[in-house]
Amino acid sequence: MAQWERPGSDGEHLVQQRLGTTERADRFYGDQVLDHLNVRMQEFVARQEMFFLATADRHGECDSTFRAGPPGFVQVLDDRTLAYPEYRGNGVMASVGNISENPRLGILMIDFTRDRIGLHINGRARVVMDEEMRARCPELPVDPIPGRRAQLWVTVEVEEAYIHCAKHIPHLQKVPAQGRGARAWGTDDVKRKGGDFFGAAAEAGERQPFRRAAHGNEHLRGGLHEDIPDTAYREAVRQDSAQQAAPAENAPVHGSGPVAATSRVAQAGPATGAGPRVAGREDFVEELNAEFLDRVERVLARARPRRPVEDEPGFRGWFDRRDA
């Protein structure tokens, strides 16, 4: 029998360990996280009319967006492969551009109206021209609506598929077609696309030119510290360097609680290897991570445990839900 590998990232595993949720996480991984789409997941995908899409470029700059189409617009090619069409849009091509640099993506499908459940799909993507896609899959339907005909397709190699539970998903109802009118697929009509709803175009002549945010420490690992000013970082390094030079018994400790404990570990240097570790960015990151976790632990201490929804009377399984 093949050895089981833990799904998820190193970061989530570390936080689970620090916050004591590893056992719960392993139960979820073992029960719910698949490396393919099972039959019920495939059926669920095939009837969805929308999904949310997350991508990032090669620097890790993220983008989230929304995709929609008729039921079945996301094609299930097999239990490990999906394909969805890229319809004509605003020409920015943010998602496709990100995929061209970084093939990783995340899809979240939520059924708000029938099953009131969600499905996460994470994997690797590839952009394919419509002609190539149809040569590979000649059974693909040709949409009768011109604005809903694909210019490109994105194929997704499924690496993770797992449930998004129902507890926070609102139960919505569709407005009848005669009450909402036809959707303007592929239109360039500004009003039909929503106009200048947020007033951005009206302010265009008065505002300063767009500038990208500067992230001086964006390569650092962990949380909270990407946007720490360089001055604060340099001061932390200066203080750590001063402590490194002082005798160990007189070395002051920054802060209190978990942060102080982390600082003492950093000052002690590595257990093996030649010479003391040079204080710097890693120590600064450890302190910031400890500060973040201290905040999280204070919040969790006030949270009251609740029994799992699977233990509730009448629970019939996630993909068997039928809400009245």
Side-chain angles (χ1 to χ4, degrees):
M1 182 177 178
Q3 185 177 1
W4 181 72
E5 297 180 5
R6 289 191 85 209
S9 67
D10 293 341
E12 68 188 68
H13 297 162
L14 178 61
V15 175
Q16 291 160 14
Q17 186 178 31
R18 289 180 175 178
L19 299 184
T21 66
T22 300
E23 184 178 347
R24 284 166 48 204
D26 279 343
R27 187 164 59 247
F28 181 84
Y29 290 154
D31 291 347
Q32 297 291 349
V33 181
L34 308 183
D35 60 3
H36 64 283
L37 300 172
N38 67 16
V39 173
R40 291 187 180 181
M41 290 175 176
Q42 293 178 45
E43 293 171 349
F44 181 84
V45 170
R47 65 174 181 265
Q48 298 311 303
E49 299 180 52
M50 62 181 182
F51 66 86
F52 303 96
L53 174 66
T55 59
D57 66 15
R58 68 184 184 279
H59 303 296
E61 298 285 349
C62 299
D63 180 75
S64 61
T65 189
F66 172 78
R67 292 289 182 268
F73 81 108
V74 179
Q75 300 286 319
V76 181
L77 303 182
D78 57 52
D79 66 347
R80 295 179 185 272
T81 316
L82 299 177
Y84 66 85
E86 282 286 337
Y87 300 140
R88 188 173 186 277
N90 58 14
V92 173
M93 310 301 287
S95 299
V96 172
N98 282 348
I99 291 169
S100 71
E101 297 185 4
N102 174 2
R104 301 285 181 177
L105 57 65
I107 289 173
L108 173 60
M109 294 181 167
I110 299 182
D111 186 337
F112 293 98
T113 60
R114 173 180 158 176
D115 297 310
R116 203 168 60 81
I117 205 74
L119 176 64
H120 292 266
I121 300 172
N122 300 326
R124 297 175 65 90
R126 178 173 175 262
V127 180
V128 181
M129 297 298 294
D130 183 60
E131 297 80 5
E132 179 186 347
M133 190 69 187
R134 293 188 181 280
R136 290 170 50 191
C137 305
E139 70 279 6
L140 287 177
V142 177
D143 202 297
I145 299 177
R148 225 165 50 193
R149 291 176 187 163
Q151 298 182 315
L152 304 169
W153 290 80
V154 176
T155 61
V156 181
E157 177 187 345
V158 177
E159 296 183 340
E160 290 183 341
Y162 57 93
I163 194 167
H164 188 102
C165 75
K167 61 185 176 183
H168 297 149
I169 298 177
H171 195 174
L172 308 180
Q173 291 183 335
K174 278 189 174 183
V175 176
Q178 60 269 26
R180 55 180 163 83
R183 282 186 276 184
W185 299 99
T187 185
D188 283 328
D189 185 303
V190 174
K191 289 185 177 180
R192 298 194 73 189
K193 291 197 298 182
D196 187 23
F197 184 88
F198 293 104
E203 301 169 351
E206 303 172 6
R207 63 173 175 259
Q208 294 294 318
F210 175 83
R211 293 184 180 179
R212 289 180 176 271
H215 300 301
N217 297 322
E218 63 185 350
H219 62 286
L220 298 178
R221 295 181 59 199
L224 276 188
H225 46 73
E226 181 177 292
D227 297 317
I228 295 294
D230 283 342
T231 52
Y233 166 73
R234 285 194 295 270
E235 176 61 18
V237 171
R238 187 194 65 76
Q239 292 180 12
D240 284 346
S241 298
Q243 292 174 37
Q244 187 86 20
E249 62 272 15
N250 296 326
V253 176
H254 291 303
S256 60
V259 178
T262 304
S263 297
R264 283 192 290 269
V265 171
Q267 292 161 11
T272 60
R277 187 179 72 186
V278 177
R281 292 182 184 270
E282 291 184 4
D283 298 347
F284 186 58
V285 170
E286 287 175 358
E287 290 201 8
L288 287 164
N289 279 335
E291 178 185 349
F292 167 72
L293 289 169
D294 185 43
R295 296 179 193 175
V296 172
E297 286 162 0
R298 287 200 297 268
V299 171
L300 291 177
R302 296 197 298 268
R304 293 192 296 180
R306 300 188 303 175
R307 62 180 179 178
V309 67
E310 293 95 332
D311 296 339
E312 298 290 342
F315 178 76
R316 295 177 306 204
W318 292 110
F319 279 92
D320 285 338
R321 290 181 60 92
R322 293 293 183 273
D323 293 316

PDB file of all heavy atoms in Angstrom, residues 49 66-70 73 87-88 143 145-149 180 182-188 192:
ATOM      1  N   GLU A  49     -22.552  26.865 -12.203  1.00  0.00           N
ATOM      2  CA  GLU A  49     -22.646  27.994 -13.131  1.00  0.00           C
ATOM      3  C   GLU A  49     -21.633  29.091 -12.818  1.00  0.00           C
ATOM      4  O   GLU A  49     -21.616  30.116 -13.510  1.00  0.00           O
ATOM      5  CB  GLU A  49     -24.056  28.588 -13.092  1.00  0.00           C
ATOM      6  CG  GLU A  49     -25.143  27.615 -13.500  1.00  0.00           C
ATOM      7  CD  GLU A  49     -26.515  28.260 -13.442  1.00  0.00           C
ATOM      8  OE1 GLU A  49     -26.708  29.345 -14.037  1.00  0.00           O
ATOM      9  OE2 GLU A  49     -27.412  27.677 -12.784  1.00  0.00           O
ATOM     10  N   PHE A  66     -13.738  36.030 -10.624  1.00  0.00           N
ATOM     11  CA  PHE A  66     -14.995  35.288 -10.692  1.00  0.00           C
ATOM     12  C   PHE A  66     -15.194  34.820 -12.120  1.00  0.00           C
ATOM     13  O   PHE A  66     -14.895  35.547 -13.068  1.00  0.00           O
ATOM     14  CB  PHE A  66     -16.120  36.239 -10.266  1.00  0.00           C
ATOM     15  CG  PHE A  66     -17.514  35.714 -10.455  1.00  0.00           C
ATOM     16  CD1 PHE A  66     -18.049  34.809  -9.549  1.00  0.00           C
ATOM     17  CD2 PHE A  66     -18.301  36.131 -11.513  1.00  0.00           C
ATOM     18  CE1 PHE A  66     -19.339  34.336  -9.704  1.00  0.00           C
ATOM     19  CE2 PHE A  66     -19.590  35.675 -11.677  1.00  0.00           C
ATOM     20  CZ  PHE A  66     -20.109  34.772 -10.765  1.00  0.00           C
ATOM     21  N   ARG A  67     -15.628  33.606 -12.281  1.00  0.00           N
ATOM     22  CA  ARG A  67     -15.950  33.069 -13.598  1.00  0.00           C
ATOM     23  C   ARG A  67     -17.363  32.511 -13.577  1.00  0.00           C
ATOM     24  O   ARG A  67     -17.789  31.917 -12.581  1.00  0.00           O
ATOM     25  CB  ARG A  67     -14.965  31.961 -13.997  1.00  0.00           C
ATOM     26  CG  ARG A  67     -13.544  32.446 -14.252  1.00  0.00           C
ATOM     27  CD  ARG A  67     -13.475  33.248 -15.552  1.00  0.00           C
ATOM     28  NE  ARG A  67     -12.119  33.683 -15.854  1.00  0.00           N
ATOM     29  CZ  ARG A  67     -11.608  34.843 -15.488  1.00  0.00           C
ATOM     30  NH1 ARG A  67     -12.331  35.684 -14.747  1.00  0.00           N
ATOM     31  NH2 ARG A  67     -10.372  35.186 -15.841  1.00  0.00           N
ATOM     32  N   ALA A  68     -18.078  32.678 -14.676  1.00  0.00           N
ATOM     33  CA  ALA A  68     -19.454  32.196 -14.755  1.00  0.00           C
ATOM     34  C   ALA A  68     -19.760  31.727 -16.165  1.00  0.00           C
ATOM     35  O   ALA A  68     -19.088  32.105 -17.132  1.00  0.00           O
ATOM     36  CB  ALA A  68     -20.434  33.303 -14.342  1.00  0.00           C
ATOM     37  N   GLY A  69     -20.790  30.910 -16.283  1.00  0.00           N
ATOM     38  CA  GLY A  69     -21.220  30.396 -17.569  1.00  0.00           C
ATOM     39  C   GLY A  69     -22.461  29.553 -17.377  1.00  0.00           C
ATOM     40  O   GLY A  69     -23.006  29.458 -16.267  1.00  0.00           O
ATOM     41  N   PRO A  70     -22.939  28.917 -18.416  1.00  0.00           N
ATOM     42  CA  PRO A  70     -24.091  28.027 -18.276  1.00  0.00           C
ATOM     43  C   PRO A  70     -23.706  26.780 -17.494  1.00  0.00           C
ATOM     44  O   PRO A  70     -22.518  26.459 -17.373  1.00  0.00           O
ATOM     45  CB  PRO A  70     -24.441  27.687 -19.727  1.00  0.00           C
ATOM     46  CG  PRO A  70     -23.158  27.828 -20.458  1.00  0.00           C
ATOM     47  CD  PRO A  70     -22.409  28.945 -19.794  1.00  0.00           C
ATOM     48  N   PHE A  73     -20.298  24.636 -17.901  1.00  0.00           N
ATOM     49  CA  PHE A  73     -19.267  25.367 -18.641  1.00  0.00           C
ATOM     50  C   PHE A  73     -17.863  24.936 -18.228  1.00  0.00           C
ATOM     51  O   PHE A  73     -16.911  25.066 -18.990  1.00  0.00           O
ATOM     52  CB  PHE A  73     -19.447  26.883 -18.510  1.00  0.00           C
ATOM     53  CG  PHE A  73     -18.907  27.502 -17.252  1.00  0.00           C
ATOM     54  CD1 PHE A  73     -17.774  28.295 -17.282  1.00  0.00           C
ATOM     55  CD2 PHE A  73     -19.556  27.327 -16.032  1.00  0.00           C
ATOM     56  CE1 PHE A  73     -17.272  28.895 -16.129  1.00  0.00           C
ATOM     57  CE2 PHE A  73     -19.078  27.926 -14.878  1.00  0.00           C
ATOM     58  CZ  PHE A  73     -17.926  28.708 -14.925  1.00  0.00           C
ATOM     59  N   TYR A  87     -13.826  33.562 -21.602  1.00  0.00           N
ATOM     60  CA  TYR A  87     -14.662  34.358 -22.493  1.00  0.00           C
ATOM     61  C   TYR A  87     -14.057  35.740 -22.693  1.00  0.00           C
ATOM     62  O   TYR A  87     -13.176  36.172 -21.957  1.00  0.00           O
ATOM     63  CB  TYR A  87     -16.073  34.500 -21.925  1.00  0.00           C
ATOM     64  CG  TYR A  87     -16.805  33.196 -21.716  1.00  0.00           C
ATOM     65  CD1 TYR A  87     -17.597  32.997 -20.587  1.00  0.00           C
ATOM     66  CD2 TYR A  87     -16.724  32.162 -22.645  1.00  0.00           C
ATOM     67  CE1 TYR A  87     -18.291  31.819 -20.379  1.00  0.00           C
ATOM     68  CE2 TYR A  87     -17.408  30.970 -22.454  1.00  0.00           C
ATOM     69  CZ  TYR A  87     -18.188  30.810 -21.317  1.00  0.00           C
ATOM     70  OH  TYR A  87     -18.867  29.629 -21.115  1.00  0.00           O
ATOM     71  N   ARG A  88     -14.586  36.444 -23.653  1.00  0.00           N
ATOM     72  CA  ARG A  88     -14.121  37.807 -23.926  1.00  0.00           C
ATOM     73  C   ARG A  88     -14.432  38.696 -22.726  1.00  0.00           C
ATOM     74  O   ARG A  88     -15.558  38.727 -22.239  1.00  0.00           O
ATOM     75  CB  ARG A  88     -14.815  38.353 -25.174  1.00  0.00           C
ATOM     76  CG  ARG A  88     -14.264  39.678 -25.664  1.00  0.00           C
ATOM     77  CD  ARG A  88     -14.906  40.047 -27.005  1.00  0.00           C
ATOM     78  NE  ARG A  88     -14.298  41.237 -27.572  1.00  0.00           N
ATOM     79  CZ  ARG A  88     -14.638  42.483 -27.245  1.00  0.00           C
ATOM     80  NH1 ARG A  88     -15.596  42.686 -26.357  1.00  0.00           N
ATOM     81  NH2 ARG A  88     -14.028  43.507 -27.800  1.00  0.00           N
ATOM     82  N   ASP A 143     -20.975  26.951 -28.084  1.00  0.00           N
ATOM     83  CA  ASP A 143     -22.042  27.726 -27.454  1.00  0.00           C
ATOM     84  C   ASP A 143     -22.766  28.561 -28.493  1.00  0.00           C
ATOM     85  O   ASP A 143     -22.133  29.224 -29.316  1.00  0.00           O
ATOM     86  CB  ASP A 143     -21.461  28.630 -26.366  1.00  0.00           C
ATOM     87  CG  ASP A 143     -22.505  29.037 -25.349  1.00  0.00           C
ATOM     88  OD1 ASP A 143     -23.472  29.721 -25.751  1.00  0.00           O
ATOM     89  OD2 ASP A 143     -22.359  28.678 -24.169  1.00  0.00           O
ATOM     90  N   ILE A 145     -24.347  31.301 -28.083  1.00  0.00           N
ATOM     91  CA  ILE A 145     -24.257  32.732 -27.798  1.00  0.00           C
ATOM     92  C   ILE A 145     -22.857  33.214 -28.118  1.00  0.00           C
ATOM     93  O   ILE A 145     -21.881  32.750 -27.503  1.00  0.00           O
ATOM     94  CB  ILE A 145     -24.610  33.017 -26.323  1.00  0.00           C
ATOM     95  CG1 ILE A 145     -26.041  32.567 -26.034  1.00  0.00           C
ATOM     96  CG2 ILE A 145     -24.423  34.497 -25.993  1.00  0.00           C
ATOM     97  CD1 ILE A 145     -26.458  32.739 -24.588  1.00  0.00           C
ATOM     98  N   PRO A 146     -22.677  34.158 -29.076  1.00  0.00           N
ATOM     99  CA  PRO A 146     -21.332  34.570 -29.499  1.00  0.00           C
ATOM    100  C   PRO A 146     -20.444  35.050 -28.359  1.00  0.00           C
ATOM    101  O   PRO A 146     -19.256  34.736 -28.321  1.00  0.00           O
ATOM    102  CB  PRO A 146     -21.619  35.694 -30.506  1.00  0.00           C
ATOM    103  CG  PRO A 146     -22.980  35.381 -31.037  1.00  0.00           C
ATOM    104  CD  PRO A 146     -23.733  34.784 -29.883  1.00  0.00           C
ATOM    105  N   GLY A 147     -20.999  35.815 -27.403  1.00  0.00           N
ATOM    106  CA  GLY A 147     -20.193  36.332 -26.299  1.00  0.00           C
ATOM    107  C   GLY A 147     -19.750  35.269 -25.322  1.00  0.00           C
ATOM    108  O   GLY A 147     -18.987  35.548 -24.393  1.00  0.00           O
ATOM    109  N   ARG A 148     -20.243  34.052 -25.499  1.00  0.00           N
ATOM    110  CA  ARG A 148     -19.910  32.958 -24.595  1.00  0.00           C
ATOM    111  C   ARG A 148     -19.125  31.886 -25.337  1.00  0.00           C
ATOM    112  O   ARG A 148     -19.124  30.719 -24.946  1.00  0.00           O
ATOM    113  CB  ARG A 148     -21.205  32.375 -24.017  1.00  0.00           C
ATOM    114  CG  ARG A 148     -21.154  32.114 -22.531  1.00  0.00           C
ATOM    115  CD  ARG A 148     -22.510  31.890 -21.939  1.00  0.00           C
ATOM    116  NE  ARG A 148     -23.326  30.904 -22.652  1.00  0.00           N
ATOM    117  CZ  ARG A 148     -24.622  30.735 -22.465  1.00  0.00           C
ATOM    118  NH1 ARG A 148     -25.262  31.511 -21.593  1.00  0.00           N
ATOM    119  NH2 ARG A 148     -25.296  29.834 -23.127  1.00  0.00           N
ATOM    120  N   ARG A 149     -18.438  32.274 -26.387  1.00  0.00           N
ATOM    121  CA  ARG A 149     -17.585  31.343 -27.112  1.00  0.00           C
ATOM    122  C   ARG A 149     -16.139  31.572 -26.686  1.00  0.00           C
ATOM    123  O   ARG A 149     -15.647  32.701 -26.709  1.00  0.00           O
ATOM    124  CB  ARG A 149     -17.756  31.525 -28.616  1.00  0.00           C
ATOM    125  CG  ARG A 149     -19.127  31.077 -29.100  1.00  0.00           C
ATOM    126  CD  ARG A 149     -19.340  31.333 -30.568  1.00  0.00           C
ATOM    127  NE  ARG A 149     -20.721  31.040 -30.938  1.00  0.00           N
ATOM    128  CZ  ARG A 149     -21.297  31.461 -32.057  1.00  0.00           C
ATOM    129  NH1 ARG A 149     -20.603  32.189 -32.925  1.00  0.00           N
ATOM    130  NH2 ARG A 149     -22.553  31.156 -32.304  1.00  0.00           N
ATOM    131  N   ARG A 180     -34.948  39.269 -14.311  1.00  0.00           N
ATOM    132  CA  ARG A 180     -33.611  39.848 -14.319  1.00  0.00           C
ATOM    133  C   ARG A 180     -33.115  40.184 -15.708  1.00  0.00           C
ATOM    134  O   ARG A 180     -32.123  40.884 -15.867  1.00  0.00           O
ATOM    135  CB  ARG A 180     -32.614  38.894 -13.651  1.00  0.00           C
ATOM    136  CG  ARG A 180     -32.578  37.503 -14.236  1.00  0.00           C
ATOM    137  CD  ARG A 180     -31.560  36.636 -13.504  1.00  0.00           C
ATOM    138  NE  ARG A 180     -31.758  35.212 -13.746  1.00  0.00           N
ATOM    139  CZ  ARG A 180     -31.303  34.567 -14.796  1.00  0.00           C
ATOM    140  NH1 ARG A 180     -30.640  35.219 -15.740  1.00  0.00           N
ATOM    141  NH2 ARG A 180     -31.523  33.263 -14.937  1.00  0.00           N
ATOM    142  N   ALA A 182     -31.741  39.220 -19.742  1.00  0.00           N
ATOM    143  CA  ALA A 182     -30.637  38.412 -20.255  1.00  0.00           C
ATOM    144  C   ALA A 182     -29.301  39.011 -19.837  1.00  0.00           C
ATOM    145  O   ALA A 182     -29.147  40.231 -19.749  1.00  0.00           O
ATOM    146  CB  ALA A 182     -30.718  38.328 -21.781  1.00  0.00           C
ATOM    147  N   ARG A 183     -28.339  38.146 -19.578  1.00  0.00           N
ATOM    148  CA  ARG A 183     -27.003  38.615 -19.249  1.00  0.00           C
ATOM    149  C   ARG A 183     -26.275  39.028 -20.522  1.00  0.00           C
ATOM    150  O   ARG A 183     -26.471  38.445 -21.585  1.00  0.00           O
ATOM    151  CB  ARG A 183     -26.215  37.526 -18.512  1.00  0.00           C
ATOM    152  CG  ARG A 183     -26.613  37.426 -17.058  1.00  0.00           C
ATOM    153  CD  ARG A 183     -25.729  36.455 -16.300  1.00  0.00           C
ATOM    154  NE  ARG A 183     -26.190  35.090 -16.466  1.00  0.00           N
ATOM    155  CZ  ARG A 183     -25.647  34.044 -15.842  1.00  0.00           C
ATOM    156  NH1 ARG A 183     -24.614  34.232 -15.032  1.00  0.00           N
ATOM    157  NH2 ARG A 183     -26.104  32.829 -16.030  1.00  0.00           N
ATOM    158  N   ALA A 184     -25.422  40.048 -20.388  1.00  0.00           N
ATOM    159  CA  ALA A 184     -24.767  40.645 -21.561  1.00  0.00           C
ATOM    160  C   ALA A 184     -23.414  39.993 -21.794  1.00  0.00           C
ATOM    161  O   ALA A 184     -22.367  40.622 -21.636  1.00  0.00           O
ATOM    162  CB  ALA A 184     -24.621  42.151 -21.360  1.00  0.00           C
ATOM    163  N   TRP A 185     -23.417  38.739 -22.218  1.00  0.00           N
ATOM    164  CA  TRP A 185     -22.168  38.008 -22.414  1.00  0.00           C
ATOM    165  C   TRP A 185     -21.306  38.686 -23.470  1.00  0.00           C
ATOM    166  O   TRP A 185     -21.751  38.941 -24.587  1.00  0.00           O
ATOM    167  CB  TRP A 185     -22.448  36.573 -22.840  1.00  0.00           C
ATOM    168  CG  TRP A 185     -23.218  35.767 -21.848  1.00  0.00           C
ATOM    169  CD1 TRP A 185     -24.553  35.510 -21.872  1.00  0.00           C
ATOM    170  CD2 TRP A 185     -22.701  35.128 -20.678  1.00  0.00           C
ATOM    171  NE1 TRP A 185     -24.911  34.745 -20.791  1.00  0.00           N
ATOM    172  CE2 TRP A 185     -23.796  34.488 -20.042  1.00  0.00           C
ATOM    173  CE3 TRP A 185     -21.432  35.025 -20.115  1.00  0.00           C
ATOM    174  CZ2 TRP A 185     -23.646  33.758 -18.872  1.00  0.00           C
ATOM    175  CZ3 TRP A 185     -21.286  34.297 -18.947  1.00  0.00           C
ATOM    176  CH2 TRP A 185     -22.378  33.677 -18.334  1.00  0.00           C
ATOM    177  N   GLY A 186     -20.065  39.017 -23.123  1.00  0.00           N
ATOM    178  CA  GLY A 186     -19.104  39.537 -24.087  1.00  0.00           C
ATOM    179  C   GLY A 186     -19.322  40.964 -24.548  1.00  0.00           C
ATOM    180  O   GLY A 186     -18.614  41.438 -25.435  1.00  0.00           O
ATOM    181  N   THR A 187     -20.249  41.685 -23.930  1.00  0.00           N
ATOM    182  CA  THR A 187     -20.561  43.028 -24.409  1.00  0.00           C
ATOM    183  C   THR A 187     -19.465  44.033 -24.046  1.00  0.00           C
ATOM    184  O   THR A 187     -18.730  43.852 -23.074  1.00  0.00           O
ATOM    185  CB  THR A 187     -21.899  43.512 -23.829  1.00  0.00           C
ATOM    186  OG1 THR A 187     -22.244  44.776 -24.413  1.00  0.00           O
ATOM    187  CG2 THR A 187     -21.808  43.698 -22.323  1.00  0.00           C
ATOM    188  N   ASP A 188     -19.380  45.109 -24.861  1.00  0.00           N
ATOM    189  CA  ASP A 188     -18.526  46.256 -24.542  1.00  0.00           C
ATOM    190  C   ASP A 188     -19.351  47.456 -24.101  1.00  0.00           C
ATOM    191  O   ASP A 188     -18.800  48.538 -23.888  1.00  0.00           O
ATOM    192  CB  ASP A 188     -17.678  46.646 -25.759  1.00  0.00           C
ATOM    193  CG  ASP A 188     -16.501  45.699 -25.960  1.00  0.00           C
ATOM    194  OD1 ASP A 188     -15.982  45.185 -24.946  1.00  0.00           O
ATOM    195  OD2 ASP A 188     -16.108  45.461 -27.116  1.00  0.00           O
ATOM    196  N   ARG A 192     -24.140  48.270 -19.565  1.00  0.00           N
ATOM    197  CA  ARG A 192     -24.532  46.889 -19.320  1.00  0.00           C
ATOM    198  C   ARG A 192     -23.456  46.143 -18.526  1.00  0.00           C
ATOM    199  O   ARG A 192     -23.743  45.120 -17.898  1.00  0.00           O
ATOM    200  CB  ARG A 192     -24.820  46.167 -20.640  1.00  0.00           C
ATOM    201  CG  ARG A 192     -25.976  46.792 -21.410  1.00  0.00           C
ATOM    202  CD  ARG A 192     -26.467  45.880 -22.512  1.00  0.00           C
ATOM    203  NE  ARG A 192     -27.203  44.745 -21.962  1.00  0.00           N
ATOM    204  CZ  ARG A 192     -27.597  43.699 -22.682  1.00  0.00           C
ATOM    205  NH1 ARG A 192     -27.293  43.635 -23.973  1.00  0.00           N
ATOM    206  NH2 ARG A 192     -28.278  42.719 -22.140  1.00  0.00           N
TER     207      ARG A 192
END
